[in-house]
Amino acid sequence: MKKFFLLLPFFFLCCKPISSIVNDTATNEPLSIAYRIKENDVAKTLKYLASDDLEGRETGKAGMVKAADYLEQFFKDNNVKPYFKSYRDTLSTFKETAFNVVGVVEGNDPVLKNEFIILSAHYDHIGLDKKGVNGDFINNGANDDASGTTAVAEMAKYFSIAKNNKRSILFVFFAGEEKGLLGSKHLAKKLKAQDFKLYAQFNIEMIGVPMKRDYLAYITGFDKSNMAAKINEYTGKNTIGFLPKEAEYKLFYRSDNYSFYELFKVPCQSVSTFDFENFEFYHHVSDDFSAMDIPHMTSFIQELLPAVTKMANTPTKEIIMLK
């Protein structure tokens, strides 16, 4: 998450095959997903992205390239196609060479496939710390935002297998978020110029540890759209709640969702489980793999699958701006 104000920081019933999911999306009943997210898969991706070998994934540095290589191979291994000629979308907003990694799973409806949902996270972080803490100089960025990147990767794998989305889904790993939302600013402008038909963006930011609240996560700009209410309707749970701190710190404007909202003026929001009380290592060298809660991350992704699946399949645009 881009630095702000100098802050320091289920289980679903498995009763139907994946092929039957689309038929259920026309109803108002919560969706049951047979597909299971695996803890080992979540841990594998997160552990690599937050490893010392990537030296904090700073935009333009070698560690960022290694992370991009991994994510590109992940797309290839899971039959997620590049949206452009290649998976790498080179930034026009950064003086050094850096790129977003962009894949797509095309929708299966002849009309709705022309509308897009963007599922995104930023894979960059802040690199090396000059002073260090107890001899550790690497800002591994496990929570910020290797956790969100891992979630998007797992969702991409799910849709590449299920192929149950009527709308097309763009899976985006942004670079340059920590430099000022540069990756999302670049891509939003590029897609806007192509008359890209964006229905909604669902950006995932810092979901590595759970909150002690009666809801799973919160979204930024809670009252700007009905996204929270629709997600809860789609999951049949109290999945998304309102976090006052989110509004206080204006987080809606401080992650990659804002670049797309600014140009497209459609629901573009970030989801997070970092609530300023449950994680003390924001932009800190101790934000590493060992601090992450893998069972929580796995259940988080699993709980959001019905919501994103419904989002991709409703015959009309049910998620709308409120103000």
Side-chain angles (χ1 to χ4, degrees), residues 127-176:
L128 301 177
D129 187 90
K130 293 181 179 179
K131 296 181 179 179
V133 178
N134 296 325
D136 185 358
F137 293 87
I138 301 174
N139 291 293
N140 300 92
N143 200 26
D144 186 12
D145 189 27
S147 64
T149 300
T150 299
V152 172
E154 287 298 314
M155 289 183 178
K157 179 163 60 175
Y158 160 68
F159 281 105
S160 73
I161 294 170
K163 294 181 172 62
N164 60 1
N165 51 300
K166 292 182 180 181
R167 291 183 176 86
S168 297
I169 304 177
L170 209 64
F171 299 95
V172 183
F173 303 117
F174 292 115

Side-chain angles (χ1 to χ4, degrees), residues 197-259:
K197 293 178 173 58
L198 179 61
Y199 171 29
Q201 180 194 15
F202 193 62
N203 188 60
I204 304 179
E205 179 82 68
M206 298 180 69
I207 51 95
V209 293
M211 303 183 294
K212 294 180 180 179
R213 301 178 186 273
D214 62 356
Y215 51 88
L216 175 67
Y218 64 92
I219 59 171
T220 62
F222 182 90
D223 60 351
K224 292 184 180 298
S225 82
N226 66 342
M227 185 181 287
K230 297 306 293 186
I231 288 175
N232 291 343
E233 176 187 316
Y234 296 159
T235 63
K237 297 186 175 185
N238 192 24
T239 300
I240 304 295
F242 172 67
L243 183 74
K245 285 280 188 184
E246 175 275 318
E248 179 183 347
Y249 292 123
K250 303 184 186 300
L251 299 187
F252 177 78
Y253 305 95
R254 299 184 179 278
S255 193
D256 289 311
N257 61 284
Y258 183 66
S259 301

Side-chain angles (χ1 to χ4, degrees), residues 1 42 45-46 49-50 57 71 74-75 119-124 141-156 171-174 202-209 255-256 270-274 287 292 296-298 300-301:
M1 182 178 284
V42 171
T45 295
L46 180 64
L49 293 176
R57 308 186 311 276
L71 295 168
F74 187 96
F75 278 160
L119 297 182
S120 61
H122 72 91
Y123 75 99
D124 69 306
N143 200 26
D144 186 12
D145 189 27
S147 64
T149 300
T150 299
V152 172
E154 287 298 314
M155 289 183 178
F171 299 95
V172 183
F173 303 117
F174 292 115
F202 193 62
N203 188 60
I204 304 179
E205 179 82 68
M206 298 180 69
I207 51 95
V209 293
S255 193
D256 289 311
S270 293
V271 64
S272 181
T273 65
F274 166 64
D287 179 8
M292 298 295 95
H296 154 72
M297 286 182 58
T298 304
F300 170 93
I301 301 166

